[in-house]
Amino acid sequence: MKMIDPLSLLSLAGLLVACSPATEDTQNEADTDTDTDTDTDTDTDTDTDTDTDTDADPPQTFAVVATTSLDGVSGSFATVDLDDLTLDDNLLVTADDNVVSASRGWVFTLGRQGTDTLSAYLPGEWDAPEWEISTGEDSDPIHAEVCAGEVFAVLYASKSLYSYELGDGDFRGTTDLSEFNDTDSNGPEPASVVRFGDTLYVGLQRLNQDTFRSEGSVVAEIDCKERDVTDSWFVGGEIVIAPWIGEDKILVGSAAYGTDTAGIYVVDPVADTVEQLLDTSGGEDVDSDIVGIAAEGAAGIAISYRSRSPFEDSRYGIHCLDLDSGTQTLIEETQDELTDIKRNDRGEVWITAAHGFLGGSPKLRIFDLATCAEKDGSPLTFGFSPNHVDFY
């Protein structure tokens, strides 16, 4: 399986009403919309709109980076100031296989295989978590997202999503995903998540653990308030999903499966459609699986994995996307293990390159989304190997 984290290398729904879901960008903006009508005998109407979005995310000022020692024995955690790229490394000790999520003003660290913990921090208060819980033995947590006032934990080795009280981590409930199980009965392997308002879209890889092949992936739509699956779309194999900012749609990076070729697909929850945007199944520049996407409007950057024989000739790729035309340009291929890609609210795309099975040098690279040019100050290097990034 090929996900954007170390485990990946072994291989979001309430019924939508007429209005489209709020994207991450619109959550970061205040809306002014008031409705006051005054009608008099002179037929003069006065309409004023004032409405504040109380669900807005604060502007992002820092990156948080999960790191792992080069010998794989221990993990750590770092922050980077987005203004001047000042690095504060080794802030706390974490599990060796760890990821980080930032959501709604909280930062979560997730200890993965062998640790199976979810820890919640308030930004800047790194001495101890506000709370820490076990997600269950061998549950393999990969993401935490605040939705409708609860923390939803995405567990790769579970048949359900689990939700917890934001303030103290108390258990609140589950969202059953077992209808999407593949034939190995280990669950549908939720591997990525996107939030639009009070709705989660979860990418289910449906990887048969016996054959290490996907049985057809699914994007599942979750109503966070009801904790129910309300829609779903089959698309590709071994998928990873990302928000298409400005379009109210889900971008799906996929390996080939059945009649679906490798590439990028678009799930439109409102129109209830799935369409292929970009085919990466062949060609001179790329013949590879998309394993991560960051996009806004027509601009995008994706990372891919190309398996070759002999194995040491396998490569990761960085691609500049034109989403209007559905075309891509290969920026470079590398033996660096590209483990995560995220867009921040400043129009930057950050890519972590870990010290992986192909060799390469651990670093974090920063690109301008609009131009796909690498920015001044990039790459950043850490004491440990960076494997996951998010922003608060």
Side-chain angles (χ1 to χ4, degrees):
M1 132 186 84
K2 295 173 279 295
M3 293 170 48
I4 310 180
D5 50 56
L7 182 64
S8 68
L9 301 172
L10 296 174
S11 79
L12 236 151
L15 293 174
L16 297 175
V17 290
C19 62
S20 59
T23 67
E24 289 183 359
D25 269 5
T26 58
Q27 292 163 15
N28 289 330
E29 298 173 1
D31 295 331
T32 57
D33 197 347
T34 335
D35 202 346
T36 307
D37 291 343
T38 304
D39 292 338
T40 68
D41 292 337
T42 59
D43 293 330
T44 300
D45 292 342
T46 303
D47 289 340
T48 315
D49 280 19
T50 312
D51 178 353
T52 301
D53 183 2
T54 58
D55 197 36
D57 281 319
Q60 295 166 350
T61 56
F62 284 87
V64 284
V65 184
T67 62
T68 304
S69 62
L70 297 185
D71 59 9
V73 173
S74 60
S76 190
F77 179 85
T79 62
V80 183
D81 189 313
L82 297 184
D83 289 330
D84 59 14
L85 300 184
T86 299
L87 172 64
D88 194 354
D89 208 351
N90 299 323
L91 289 176
L92 52 93
V93 176
T94 67
D96 59 325
D97 185 3
N98 69 107
V99 294
V100 61
S101 298
S103 181
R104 286 298 195 264
W106 289 75
V107 174
F108 304 95
T109 62
L110 301 99
R112 301 190 54 189
Q113 297 182 77
T115 307
D116 304 299
T117 56
L118 170 61
S119 306
Y121 292 84
L122 292 175
E125 301 179 16
W126 311 122
D127 290 340
E130 295 295 306
W131 49 266
E132 182 175 90
I133 60 171
S134 169
T135 57
E137 185 177 4
D138 297 325
S139 59
D140 194 10
I142 63 167
H143 191 90
E145 189 72 34
V146 178
C147 187
E150 298 178 359
V151 183
F152 284 75
V154 180
L155 312 177
Y156 188 78
S158 174
K159 299 178 177 70
S160 300
L161 299 183
Y162 289 79
S163 59
Y164 304 91
E165 179 67 38
L166 181 56
D168 55 19
D170 285 351
F171 174 74
R172 294 298 299 273
T174 61
T175 303
D176 185 16
L177 300 173
S178 61
E179 64 180 289
F180 305 111
N181 286 353
D182 54 79
T183 56
D184 67 6
S185 300
N186 289 322
E189 287 86 21
S192 51
V193 64
V194 167
R195 179 184 58 80
F196 286 162
D198 289 337
T199 303
L200 290 181
Y201 295 87
V202 184
L204 309 174
Q205 293 195 328
R206 303 186 72 244
L207 183 72
N208 188 309
Q209 301 292 339
D210 298 324
T211 64
F212 291 103
R213 293 185 178 276
S214 174
E215 295 182 1
S217 295
V218 172
V219 177
E221 189 176 68
I222 312 296
D223 182 331
C224 296
K225 292 181 179 179
E226 300 298 327
R227 306 189 196 98
D228 284 338
V229 177
T230 54
D231 211 341
S232 61
W233 302 268
F234 276 84
V235 54
E238 302 180 46
I239 64 170
V240 60
I241 66 175
W244 189 355
I245 303 302
E247 296 293 332
D248 298 343
K249 299 173 184 178
I250 311 301
L251 292 173
V252 182
S254 172
Y257 177 78
T259 60
D260 290 344
T261 57
I264 297 177
Y265 291 77
V266 180
V267 173
D268 185 339
V270 176
D272 194 22
T273 58
V274 178
E275 296 181 355
Q276 187 171 37
L277 180 65
L278 182 63
D279 185 345
T280 62
S281 60
E284 240 177 69
D285 286 339
V286 58
D287 181 8
S288 53
D289 300 336
I290 299 296
V291 295
I293 311 168
E296 179 177 3
I301 295 177
I303 56 178
S304 67
Y305 175 72
R306 181 205 295 254
S307 179
R308 289 173 171 171
S309 180
F311 182 71
E312 59 267 21
D313 287 338
S314 297
R315 293 288 188 274
Y316 283 84
I318 303 175
H319 310 265
C320 184
L321 309 178
D322 183 334
L323 299 177
D324 278 345
S325 63
T327 58
Q328 65 85 32
T329 302
L330 180 65
I331 299 173
E332 69 176 71
E333 283 194 322
T334 177
Q335 285 193 313
D336 294 339
E337 184 183 340
L338 305 182
T339 53
D340 198 16
I341 178 171
K342 288 287 191 334
R343 163 204 169 276
N344 62 29
D345 63 9
R346 302 184 178 203
E348 298 172 340
V349 173
W350 291 42
I351 299 174
T352 54
H355 178 76
F357 58 93
L358 295 176
S361 57
K363 62 177 78 72
L364 192 153
R365 301 178 65 177
I366 305 171
F367 291 82
D368 177 71
L369 179 58
T371 65
C372 295
E374 191 158 9
K375 301 194 72 169
D376 291 343
S378 173
L380 302 177
T381 57
F382 298 76
F384 282 5
S385 176
N387 58 50
H388 208 77
V389 62
D390 213 335
F391 304 95
Y392 70 85

